[in-house]
Amino acid sequence: MSAVVLFGIAFVGGTIVVTLSFYFLMRLIMGGDPTGKDRELAGAVVMRISSLHALILALVFAQEMIEYQQLKFESVTEANAIADIYFDANRYGADDKAAPIQQALFEYVQIVVDEEWQTLGRTGQLSPTAWNKWDNVYQRVLDLTPTNARQQSIREHMLTDVHSIAESRDKRENSGTDSISSIFWFAAVSGVVFMALGYYPYPPDARNLLLLSVLGAFTGIILFFIYAFSDPYNPPATLKPTAFERLLDELATPPASG
């Protein structure tokens, strides 16, 4: 946690430094605004740049937040589908068929928690071992031979859930490999630079420097959040496999019958 905080402080501090540096650079080039004639035009330019910059940041921030929350939703959906298959295997009424399916599902969840989540953070790819466990479950469910309407219905629900797991897995992988385009970062940094340049008519007294620092700090905070949420499998905003961890505890200690 301390490393994340330090990284965030460095990120925000860097934005402040960039803002003040280009402000002073522009004042050095232009020599300030001794007559006060440039302020009106500079203010109008800064207003338009800041509006477009804020719009870009808001849209990208909202997109990353939606994708981050969507990943949480898909993880819960996948865990629920696994739990449904696990307990439907018992409801099917054939112990010799249920045990291998449940064992494969338990091992699948273990792999997701202990291995696959970290693999997504390192490589952005799903674990082949987890896919093998999923395929094992799929094949065993396909091999079920219902003898009555109850078993037929349960088997159909299990197949639906198996496909739901595969769909959620694909979405998890896409969330790990998606990254923000370098074009966005160019536009974001350019906005900070151009806004700083536009404030050159204002003298570098304590109040103005404080306001410029506040502008840089808030922009840096938003950029930091966008950066954090763009990679949900790595710090600083690592999304934990909480739904799978809870499911693993439930499957490891099933509730007592009766």
Side-chain angles (χ1 to χ4, degrees):
M1 179 62 70
S2 59
V4 172
V5 172
L6 291 175
F7 179 71
I9 293 173
F11 201 102
V12 174
T15 310
I16 296 174
V17 170
V18 169
T19 302
L20 295 178
S21 297
F22 280 93
Y23 163 75
F24 281 113
L25 176 63
M26 192 63 170
R27 280 193 65 85
L28 179 64
I29 295 173
M30 300 300 294
D33 182 23
T35 63
K37 295 180 179 179
D38 296 346
R39 291 193 181 186
E40 184 176 354
L41 178 58
V45 171
V46 169
M47 178 64 69
R48 284 161 175 76
I49 293 175
S50 61
S51 298
L52 291 174
H53 190 249
L55 178 61
I56 292 172
L57 295 187
L59 290 174
V60 176
F61 180 78
Q63 174 187 325
E64 294 303 321
M65 278 298 300
I66 290 172
E67 291 182 356
Y68 189 86
Q69 295 298 327
Q70 185 66 27
L71 177 59
K72 293 176 64 176
F73 174 79
E74 289 299 335
S75 297
V76 173
T77 300
E78 183 179 351
N80 288 340
I82 295 169
D84 286 345
I85 298 173
Y86 187 93
F87 293 109
D88 275 346
N90 277 337
R91 299 184 186 103
Y92 186 81
D95 293 341
D96 59 325
K97 301 291 186 180
I101 293 174
Q102 292 177 325
Q103 181 63 28
L105 287 171
F106 181 80
E107 293 173 357
Y108 170 82
V109 178
Q110 279 187 317
I111 293 170
V112 171
V113 173
D114 299 335
E115 175 188 337
E116 186 170 68
W117 212 262
Q118 292 75 18
T119 301
L120 284 167
R122 292 193 304 269
T123 67
Q125 296 179 345
L126 296 169
S127 167
T129 307
W131 272 123
N132 290 336
K133 294 298 179 182
W134 172 88
D135 187 66
N136 187 348
V137 173
Y138 190 23
Q139 296 295 338
R140 291 184 181 278
V141 173
L142 286 174
D143 289 340
L144 294 176
T145 52
T147 58
N148 53 55
R150 171 188 170 89
Q151 290 185 340
Q152 178 66 32
S153 177
I154 291 175
R155 180 179 179 273
E156 290 176 358
H157 287 150
M158 293 171 72
L159 286 173
T160 300
D161 287 329
V162 168
H163 289 294
S164 176
I165 293 171
E167 183 178 351
S168 295
R169 287 180 59 77
D170 289 335
K171 292 180 179 179
R172 279 201 287 120
E173 185 174 36
N174 290 333
S175 297
T177 55
D178 286 346
S179 60
I180 297 178
S181 171
S182 57
I183 295 176
F184 162 75
W185 292 112
F186 176 78
V189 175
S190 296
V192 175
V193 171
F194 289 137
M195 282 191 294
L197 295 177
Y199 283 109
Y200 81 89
Y202 298 89
D205 57 37
R207 293 183 178 181
N208 289 339
L209 292 180
L210 176 60
L211 290 174
L212 281 172
S213 298
V214 169
L215 172 65
F218 183 71
T219 305
I221 291 172
I222 300 302
L223 290 175
F224 176 71
F225 284 154
I226 291 174
Y227 168 79
F229 290 126
S230 67
D231 187 357
Y233 297 112
N234 285 309
T238 307
L239 182 64
K240 302 295 183 182
T242 306
F244 296 100
E245 291 172 343
R246 291 176 178 172
L247 178 60
L248 189 62
D249 291 339
E250 182 180 357
L251 300 185
T253 56
S257 60

